[in-house]
Amino acid sequence: MSDILELTKIIKELCADYSLLLETPSEGNFKIFTDHASGITLFLKIQGPTDFSFYFLQRTYDIVYHGDRSDVHVIISLMFSSFLRSMDSGISSSQFDIAHPIVDDEIWGRYIMPIQGSVLLGISSWEKIKEAVFKIIPLLAVWREVFWKFAGCPCEECLKKDNINNYREYEVPNEILATINMVFKKHSNFNSGNRQRPNWSYYYDINNEVTIIKSEMLCFYLESILKFTNRKYETIEGINGVLILDGELTNFIKKKHVKEIEKVLANLMKSKMKHKFSVIPLENMVIAVKNPYIIALGRLCGIEEYKIEREHLRNRHNKESQLLFPVSLFEWNEIVCPDEFEALVKSLLEREPNVKFVRKPAPINQGDKGRDLLIEWYILDSQSISKTTPPSSLVRIVGQCKASNKTIGKNKVLDIRDTVETHNASGYFLAVSAQISGPLTEKLEDLKSKGIWTHWWNRDDIEKRLSKNQDLIPYFPKVLKAKNKVKFVDKG
């Protein structure tokens, strides 16, 4: 049996198992229909192990829904696309309206075109195609089952039983109309209305690509999917908006689009306060959920926009790295000698412009009562300012040095306040050969608020000073060395 024949057999069996309608396949083209209530059709094209593609069409006929079915095409395509985006197989898609051939403000159907997703990548063999088919076809059936559990059965028997008329009506909640007029200015090219099953009211501003849906049922459906799949987006603040990373999927939402959503919600809720909302990003649409409203803005926020913003961020990152985190000119020893590190810090302090003198009171770790250095330092002091005196004063500082290639935590720096008071000092200085932890930073900042002057150097601060005092480098071989040849400056 050839590969395409074997695959055709697999697809037929899957469709039979999941009660999906498979139209007669021809030459690797497959058309798989869900049902007349859902209206989703999957088109598969398989021409070879490296020639595989698929897309979806949302299109219903005058069988389950009667009258203008634009609302069904718009809303169900949003519900299906959100489901695809939220599942583990994550598919981020673009949606495209198919305009009615005669009526301007009606939507004949909507294409759902997958752009990103693991199921689209790395397909280079028949086995990989089979894996993709086993993911995609069941998704249709799972979505159909989940959606109608929330929406309620729309079959004729259930409608009669529940005394529901499934004809479309055209009344729209006043707050939706007021919001469209206030935020977007009403256009003649729009579609609106409501239904009992599925239960929703909606307005689609075709010109501005804005859809507002009022439906507790649909909000519950989307929130339940997000909670069940537990998608945890990693977000990074960009220059023009937020970059979203979700496994292999990447999206970008501009700040101005978030502000649009916030403005729409403020008008719908009749409140000026900012409302929290869940977000589902697609390629050319961002969907916001805040019960009982769903807002879908047709805005570009897919992988291409992500790449553009990432380049803006790269430029900023490079500049920040150059200024804030320059490439190290030095190579630090794996084990830094504590004695030499202390001597290096002392030598650098002696060259600080505001340091009067530095004294080492006793050998390291030998009864120095927690102090490695005693320093007299001119510091800024706004209390001492006068017409004739600049805002500075000479204070006594206790200094400590911590040699380690690991981050120094607050458990390594104890009893600071007692040490300062014991030696009749007014401040505390810490030098570390690596970095200090966040909790230790907070501890030092807290001492400032209690009137104890604090200052610290980490590795970056020491390297910055060494780059200006390169003549010191050869004297501390047990601490570090220069990566490249440097020109030593004779300090006399």
Side-chain angles (χ1 to χ4, degrees):
M1 183 184 294
S2 69
D3 291 306
I4 191 66
L5 287 176
E6 182 185 356
L7 197 59
T8 301
K9 181 184 176 184
I10 290 171
I11 290 173
K12 284 180 178 179
E13 290 173 353
L14 282 172
C15 290
D17 290 343
Y18 290 110
S19 300
L20 299 169
L21 177 63
L22 172 63
E23 292 193 4
T24 305
S26 63
E27 298 179 0
N29 292 297
F30 302 87
K31 185 177 178 181
I32 302 169
F33 184 60
T34 50
D35 57 87
H36 288 294
S38 305
I40 301 288
T41 302
L42 165 63
F43 292 84
L44 279 168
K45 182 181 178 183
I46 307 169
Q47 300 299 313
T50 58
D51 189 356
F52 167 82
S53 62
F54 68 97
Y55 67 91
F56 303 94
L57 169 68
Q58 210 297 320
R59 164 84 173 135
T60 62
Y61 302 90
D62 196 1
I63 296 173
V64 175
Y65 309 99
H66 308 292
D68 176 10
R69 299 183 303 281
S70 298
D71 61 329
V72 178
H73 301 147
V74 171
I75 294 174
I76 290 188
S77 64
L78 289 174
M79 299 303 107
F80 181 61
S81 297
S82 298
F83 177 83
L84 293 178
R85 179 63 177 79
S86 302
M87 295 303 289
D88 287 339
S89 56
I91 296 172
S92 183
S93 58
S94 289
Q95 300 189 46
F96 300 95
D97 289 342
I98 304 171
H100 193 285
I102 299 173
V103 184
D104 287 341
D105 58 2
E106 287 190 20
I107 306 301
W108 187 85
R110 183 174 271 185
Y111 287 114
I112 301 166
M113 309 298 293
I115 304 298
Q116 295 188 73
S118 59
V119 75
L120 296 164
L121 299 174
I123 296 178
S124 57
S125 67
W126 288 106
E127 283 303 314
K128 292 290 185 182
I129 290 177
K130 288 177 190 176
E131 289 177 17
V133 166
F134 275 108
K135 286 181 180 178
I136 297 165
I137 293 177
L139 273 176
L140 278 176
V142 173
W143 168 79
R144 180 178 61 186
E145 184 72 18
V146 170
F147 181 74
W148 293 112
K149 284 286 185 184
F150 285 90
C153 181
C155 75
E156 190 173 350
E157 184 180 341
C158 288
L159 293 176
K160 284 182 179 179
K161 176 185 173 184
D162 298 333
N163 194 27
I164 291 175
N165 173 2
N166 206 27
Y167 278 89
R168 172 174 171 163
E169 297 176 351
Y170 292 88
E171 194 172 324
V172 180
N174 290 331
E175 73 269 21
I176 292 181
L177 293 175
T179 297
I180 290 291
N181 290 332
M182 178 69 70
V183 180
F184 300 102
K185 297 182 181 178
K186 191 172 180 179
H187 288 273
S188 59
N189 197 15
F190 68 92
N191 192 282
S192 62
N194 67 81
R195 288 185 190 270
Q196 287 182 275
R197 181 169 294 173
N199 184 255
W200 61 52
S201 297
Y202 112 116
Y203 189 106
Y204 179 28
D205 181 335
I206 299 171
N207 286 1
N208 286 311
E209 296 186 71
V210 178
T211 304
I212 299 177
I213 305 164
K214 185 175 184 180
S215 172
E216 290 188 4
M217 175 272 293
L218 291 181
C219 287
F220 187 39
Y221 157 79
L222 290 176
E223 288 170 347
S224 297
I225 288 173
L226 291 173
K227 185 176 180 180
F228 174 75
T229 57
N230 196 28
R231 306 296 289 189
K232 293 190 181 299
Y233 301 151
E234 294 289 342
T235 59
I236 298 174
E237 286 291 335
I239 296 170
N240 303 301
V242 178
L243 296 100
I244 299 173
L245 297 90
D246 177 19
E248 295 177 357
L249 303 180
T250 54
N251 295 83
F252 171 68
I253 302 176
K254 291 184 178 178
K255 292 176 184 176
K256 65 179 183 181
H257 299 155
V258 174
K259 288 181 179 178
E260 275 187 284
I261 293 170
E262 290 173 345
K263 193 171 182 181
V264 169
L265 279 176
N267 279 272
L268 289 171
M269 300 287 194
K270 298 178 181 177
S271 167
K272 292 183 179 179
M273 65 177 287
K274 285 189 176 182
H275 298 274
K276 291 184 178 180
F277 51 87
S278 301
V279 176
I280 302 171
L282 302 176
E283 294 301 293
N284 65 346
M285 192 167 292
V286 56
I287 301 169
V289 185
K290 174 67 178 176
N291 195 15
Y293 301 105
I294 298 166
I295 302 158
L297 301 181
R299 307 291 184 263
L300 295 175
C301 54
I303 187 170
E304 294 304 320
E305 287 61 47
Y306 168 86
K307 288 179 178 178
I308 291 169
E309 184 66 13
R310 185 181 62 181
E311 290 310 307
H312 291 322
L313 205 57
R314 190 195 303 278
N315 292 333
R316 189 179 78 179
H317 171 76
N318 289 341
K319 187 172 182 179
E320 287 173 343
S321 296
Q322 181 182 358
L323 296 175
L324 301 177
F325 311 106
V327 176
S328 176
L329 300 174
F330 307 97
E331 184 177 319
W332 290 70
N333 291 0
E334 287 188 18
I335 299 176
V336 175
C337 173
D339 286 343
E340 277 202 7
F341 179 66
E342 181 188 285
L344 169 62
V345 172
K346 180 177 181 292
S347 297
L348 289 173
L349 280 168
E350 287 171 340
R351 295 183 181 184
E352 282 290 292
N354 294 316
V355 171
K356 185 177 181 182
F357 81 84
V358 185
R359 179 167 60 88
K360 182 179 175 180
I364 193 167
N365 297 328
Q366 292 185 14
D368 60 355
K369 297 183 181 179
R371 72 195 190 286
D372 296 333
L373 301 169
L374 286 176
I375 313 159
E376 286 195 6
W377 206 322
Y378 286 100
I379 65 170
L380 289 177
D381 180 9
S382 59
Q383 302 299 319
S384 66
I385 190 170
S386 70
K387 290 181 180 179
T388 58
T389 306
S392 68
S393 59
L394 184 65
V395 297
R396 183 181 174 92
I397 305 295
V398 175
Q400 287 189 316
C401 303
K402 301 292 180 181
S404 174
N405 279 329
K406 295 181 179 180
T407 298
I408 301 296
K410 66 178 184 179
N411 62 318
K412 299 294 184 182
V413 183
L414 303 173
D415 303 324
I416 296 175
R417 192 163 188 166
D418 289 344
T419 301
V420 170
E421 290 176 356
T422 298
H423 298 287
N424 195 30
S426 301
Y428 176 78
F429 168 77
L430 174 66
V432 300
S433 59
Q435 310 296 328
I436 65 173
S437 69
L440 178 53
T441 302
E442 292 173 4
K443 181 178 179 179
L444 295 174
E445 289 290 344
D446 185 56
L447 286 172
K448 281 185 181 180
S449 67
K450 293 175 180 175
I452 298 176
W453 182 89
T454 58
H455 189 57
W456 62 88
W457 288 352
N458 57 29
R459 180 171 291 189
D460 292 339
D461 300 313
I462 292 169
E463 288 189 355
K464 181 179 178 181
R465 286 164 172 80
L466 266 182
S467 66
K468 302 295 183 183
N469 295 277
Q470 295 181 9
D471 61 302
L472 294 176
I473 297 171
Y475 296 105
F476 306 101
K478 295 180 182 179
V479 177
L480 49 64
K481 62 183 179 180
K483 281 184 177 180
N484 301 304
K485 189 177 180 180
V486 292
K487 179 179 179 182
F488 296 123
V489 180
D490 183 8
K491 292 290 183 180

